[in-house]
Amino acid sequence: MGLAAEVDARITSALNSKSGWAAELAVLLGKDGRLSKALPGFDYRPQQVAMAQTIGDAFRREEHVLVEAGTGTGKSLAYLIPAVYWAKATGEKVVVSTNTINLQEQLIFKDIPFLQEWLGVDFKAVLVKGRANYLCRRKLQMALSETPDLFEPEESVQLAKLVDWAKDAQTGCRSELEQEPPYQVWERVCAESDTCLRNDCPFFTECFVTRARKEAMEADILVVNHHLLFADVAVRRERGVDAEVAVLPRYRYIVFDEAHNVENVATEYFGCSVSRHQLGQLAGRLLRRGVPRAVATGRATVTGLLPGIRAKIRQCNLERADSLALQSLEARLGQQLPAALRLVEEANNAFFAAVGRFALGVVESLEPLLPGASSGSPGAAFGSGAGSGVNRRGEPAEIRLRIRDFHRRMPEWTDDLEPAAGQLLMALQALDGQLASLAGELGSLGAEPEEGWANLLIELSAVRGRVTTAAQAVDYIVDGADPGSVYWVECRADNPAETARLQAAPIRIAEEFLSQIVLPAKSIVLTSATLTVGQSFAYLKSRLGLDQLGSEQLAEAIYQSPFFYRDQVLIAIPTDLPDPRHETFEETAAGAIGRILAASRGRAFVLFTSYAAMQKVYRKVTDQLARDPLWREQGWLIFKQGDAPRHQLISRFRSQVHSVLFATDSFWEGVDVPGEALSCVILVKLPFRVPTEPVVEARVEELEKAGGNSFAEYMLPQAVLKFKQGFGRLIRGSEDCGSVVIMDRRVLQKSYGQVFLDSLPECSRVSGSVEEVCERIESWLR
């Protein structure tokens, strides 16, 4: 028997029974197993072995499973090993879906290469990305063939760099680039599904996307992000779930890591939005006027698809074409289409100006009601705690206004916004008609494909499709007839017309998730360090429709972290701060944070639930620490989210051991800083969602109408899961030690506070005045 056959026999034997799988895992992950010998510092973790056993059993029994695995369990290897074995034994692909780039990179560049070297199983895994990440050689050539006048000078420089890069590019993915080009340049040359010629493309055999898709077809493990997986689901909804290829090759086994984010990602993906900027970009794809190239000449660049078509006509030999047809074509390109685009531009500006007036008018009329506004009152139609509404300090702020039925009966809607929407829809329809006529006229010219007409026709087709999609979004949101969706408008209060965006999202995704993802699959694993509330999966199951499955279809498992939190973590709770809802809280908290950071000697994350609160407290704390002699002498640094890209901030924080990072939502999870650099995590407030955020408010109302308790069933579980994520930033290894400071006294004073504390592992704890807390933190870290 050859080596490959021996491996196949070993895999088959391991998966045939529960005992066989347990024996194989002991060989791999046991105290003296193969991986412990291969990986320096490898710790035997019974939780990891048990998790791998559970997932392998779920694959074998074709059941679904929920797995909460505490930090340090080693969950990535615990699901990768059974996924690899199952893929090799059955020939079925297993999709591993994550929410963050960090985890994808860990899987592709660390965990999977390690297993490929030491597992003793020959398998292939690939990271699958969306088309727009790849260069399209045809579109690059098309851009280069256009006359120089069709590009801004800087765009021409960027295109030249892309040409040089494309010669030696390994994957054609923009992540290979040292510096990504501007959006308007990459958009001209990136791959897109609606501009792809597929087998008819002259670059088909050299195509980066084709090569990537071929690798995916040959792979056993597909690593994707949640968005791409939902994109595949949307295509399969049209083509059928058993289609061999959609966005991804066919699969029936899925592992959702970071599964606590699934509902949010699905809500975003299955919603729709439209903005003034979005429609402006669409029009600019056809015709865009730039700044004059030279003051002396006053000549402006005119770029886009329409000038490209005119240039192509001048380049090609069209003697066979009817002169009247050419005249008609010239009139359409030079007069009728530019006129149609002007109408779209005017209607676009007028419509979103009306949207901005409507939103600002509603918010200003309700501002006096804000202090006493309660959930369900008119004042609760927009949020103020998450950067929404009109800032009481008079600073520019974001409006996020839910569009309710009574809003659609207001004069600002019926007499202003609705007629403007009708004008925009008519302008988009007229533009679509002009583009359809243009496509017909180009197709009748009799030009050969190699002369570039195929490129132009597919580009026209793509623009037409996007015009239709934009029109459908405007119509859907303005009409607002779907009771299963929530509708809202976002804009900046200081410039509503320019920044307005209309959005819609499903109130529930449970039925969609169950019918489109769970039921067609043979086995789905949902795992994260934060899936349960009070040791129960009830919240997650209800949000994803999994409560409709019987116990024979859905298994559950909880594996505690192997870390000794009682010896590693001090939970510190100051009790002499105001209630977080009191107007003096931020001022008082800033002083306390400064003292805590002095006690911890920096080395801290300060995590907020509001960007505005972060900015205010940051200013006060930096002023306070600037007067601290030790801080000034050591030159310790304070970073703030927004001052640099996320990865740069994390890199600087890691390298400056005594630094501090002030951050909001995205830093509560997906950030790993092991070691001394992160020794203190300060959670400024319990992370409740803003109750007047449109999606949250609609879901709360739905639960209340059904007779449920929206706080206990929705608001509290969401906050607890986010809280557990924030807590989880501190301990990333068995040698880590530090303090988590909870500055929200409601965790002790409210009955629901115990739910938060009970969700954490057993830790050492101190509560008392800020001074008492600081003394204990200082001694703990020393």
Side-chain angles (χ1 to χ4, degrees), residues 69 132 165 169 224 242 310 325 396 424 459 475 514 553 565 738 754 769:
W165 168 69
V224 305
D242 289 326
R310 296 183 80 178
L424 177 57
E459 290 287 330
D475 187 47
L514 182 65
Q553 296 172 286
Y565 281 93
Q754 197 61 43
S769 68

Side-chain angles (χ1 to χ4, degrees), residues 563-633:
F563 298 148
F564 296 98
Y565 281 93
R566 188 171 183 82
D567 298 331
Q568 292 179 261
V569 179
L570 172 70
I571 294 177
I573 309 172
T575 56
D576 56 349
L577 297 177
D579 186 289
R581 294 163 293 185
H582 195 274
E583 61 183 12
T584 62
F585 174 75
E586 290 174 4
E587 183 87 24
T588 311
I593 289 170
R595 283 180 282 172
I596 292 168
L597 293 177
S600 68
R601 300 169 67 85
R603 303 179 291 178
F605 277 2
V606 187
L607 300 179
F608 294 81
T609 57
S610 159
Y611 191 81
M614 179 193 74
Q615 295 276 36
K616 180 180 178 181
V617 173
Y618 169 82
R619 288 192 294 267
K620 292 185 177 299
V621 171
T622 50
D623 289 345
Q624 178 182 345
L625 292 178
R627 298 189 295 272
D628 183 282
L630 177 63
W631 206 276
R632 202 166 52 242
E633 177 188 338

